[in-house]
Amino acid sequence: MSQPVDLDRALRPRLPSPLQEVRDERFARHGLRLLLKRDDLIHPELPGNKWRKLAPNLRAAAGRTLLTFGGAYSHHLRATAAAGRLLGFPTIGVVRGDELAERPLNPSLAACAADGMRLHFVDRATYRRASEPEVLAELRVRCGAPAGCRVVPEGGSNALAARGCTELGRELRGAADVAAVACGTGGTLAGLAAGLGDGARALGVPVLRGGFLGERTAALQREAFGGPAGDWSLDERFHFGGYARVPPALEAFARDFEARHALPVERLYVAKMLYGLVVLAGEGAFPPGTAVAAVVTGGPQPEGSR
C-alpha cells in the first residue's frame, strides 16, 4: 500500500456513532439527562477515540511503517497493530519497561505481536525522553525502523489526532451541554472541545496521576488549531491511583452500571469517567436541565488483559 488508502471503504467504520439516552436515577433526581455516545461501536478493532485519532495518522502514513509508543496495557498499541494487520502495513511498538522483555507477553502485548507488531522494550528513563530528537533517532535505529517511517506519539495524540477528534464534538453539537471523556494523553479532549462549538463544554477525566494533562491538552490545541479552542476543563479526582488501577470500589461500580444499563463497561478509562460523572451529579456540578454526554471510547478488553 504505497498510496493513501480510503479508510472508510477499507474498514467501514460506523459513523456517526450512536447517541443513546439512558434513564439513571442518579442523574434524573437532579434534573439531568444522561446520554451515552457509543464510540465503542465505531469499529470492533479500532473503537472509539482510537479510530478518530488513528485514522488521520494512517492516511498520512500512506502505507509506510508506523512506529509508536505505549505501556504494557496500551489500547493504542493494540489498535495500531490491528490497523496494520487489516490494512497491510508494518508496525513497530516501543514499550515502556525493559524488564518486560524477559517475561512472557501479557494478553495485550501478545495480541499486538499476533497482529504482526514488532515490539521493542526500553527502560523508563529512555521512554520518557522519546520525544527528544536525538533519543528518537537512536530508538529508530535500535528498532530497525526504515527511513521514512511514520512516528506517532504515545496514545496517538498529536495535532492530526486532535483535528480528527473534532468530528466527535460536531456530532454532539446541539445534543449535549456537557460532553465528558476519559483522558490519557489529551488528544481526544483537545479535539472534542474544539468541535463542540459555543454553548457546550468538554470535561476531561484523567486516568493517570500527575496533573500534566492541562498543559498537554493546551499544547495540542496550539499545535492543531493555533491556540485555545472551545470550553474545556479537567477533574483530576477519579484516577483511582493511576493507570490500570481497578480497585474493588471501581469494579463494583462498573458491574452495577453494566447491570443497570446492559452496557459492557471498559475498566481502565470508561469506568473512571462514568464514576466521576455520578459523583459530580451528586455534588450539584451540573444545573438542572443539563444534558450530559458520556463518551464511551471503547469496550472491555478480553479476560486477563490487564
Side-chain angles (χ1 to χ4, degrees):
M1 186 180 65
S2 59
Q3 299 297 323
V5 66
D6 184 339
L7 294 180
D8 288 346
R9 177 175 294 179
L11 299 180
R12 300 185 183 277
R14 185 180 181 182
L15 291 170
S17 62
L19 185 62
Q20 170 188 358
E21 183 166 0
V22 296
R23 171 81 180 179
D24 191 308
E25 75 234 20
R26 295 168 294 186
F27 293 83
R29 74 169 67 108
H30 301 289
L32 309 175
R33 296 169 57 220
L34 178 62
L35 310 171
L36 302 178
K37 180 60 169 165
R38 297 295 306 274
D39 267 20
D40 58 312
L41 301 178
I42 290 177
H43 190 278
E45 297 190 76
L46 283 77
N49 61 343
K50 302 311 172 194
W51 167 269
R52 296 188 189 274
K53 292 196 290 184
L54 267 177
N57 280 288
L58 294 176
R59 293 187 183 101
R64 291 173 292 163
T65 298
L66 196 152
L67 183 151
T68 193
F69 302 81
Y73 301 99
S74 169
H75 294 356
H76 167 66
L77 286 183
R78 290 188 65 166
T80 302
R85 170 175 54 81
L86 292 168
L87 296 173
F89 65 88
T91 58
I92 301 172
V94 178
V95 184
R96 180 179 60 246
D98 55 347
E99 75 279 1
L100 298 173
E102 306 302 322
R103 302 176 186 172
L105 297 179
N106 67 34
S108 292
L109 295 178
C112 292
D115 278 340
M117 176 175 275
R118 284 196 286 128
L119 299 174
H120 185 81
F121 299 90
V122 301
D123 64 86
R124 284 165 168 75
T126 300
Y127 189 92
R128 284 193 296 271
R129 299 178 57 209
S131 62
E132 299 175 16
E134 64 277 11
V135 177
L136 178 58
E138 181 183 346
L139 280 173
R140 290 174 65 160
V141 171
R142 287 165 55 184
C143 294
C149 77
R150 178 78 183 178
V151 177
V152 176
E154 182 180 38
S157 289
N158 56 12
L160 280 177
R163 294 188 198 111
C165 289
T166 58
E167 191 61 29
L168 170 60
R170 294 188 189 102
E171 291 175 19
L172 287 168
R173 281 187 184 179
D177 303 301
V178 175
V181 66
C183 300
T185 51
T188 305
L189 178 62
L192 169 63
L196 274 174
D198 296 336
R201 67 182 175 95
L203 171 64
V205 177
V207 302
L208 297 88
R209 295 182 297 175
F212 61 89
L213 265 180
E215 176 49 38
R216 178 61 181 143
T217 303
L220 281 166
Q221 288 203 327
R222 290 193 295 270
E223 294 168 20
F225 313 116
D231 182 7
W232 60 271
S233 62
L234 294 167
D235 195 315
E236 306 264 2
R237 294 179 291 163
F238 306 113
H239 53 69
F240 282 86
Y243 186 68
R245 302 289 178 87
V246 185
L250 183 61
E251 178 65 30
F253 170 84
R255 290 184 182 274
D256 176 71
F257 198 96
E258 290 173 331
R260 288 172 185 256
H261 302 300
L263 172 77
V265 175
E266 188 273 334
R267 298 319 198 242
L268 307 190
Y269 289 85
V270 177
K272 295 179 179 183
M273 178 268 299
L274 292 170
Y275 183 97
L277 287 180
V278 170
V279 170
L280 288 165
E283 292 174 347
F286 311 119
T290 299
V292 180
V295 181
V296 182
T297 49
Q301 299 298 306
E303 190 66 29
S305 64
R306 63 176 184 272

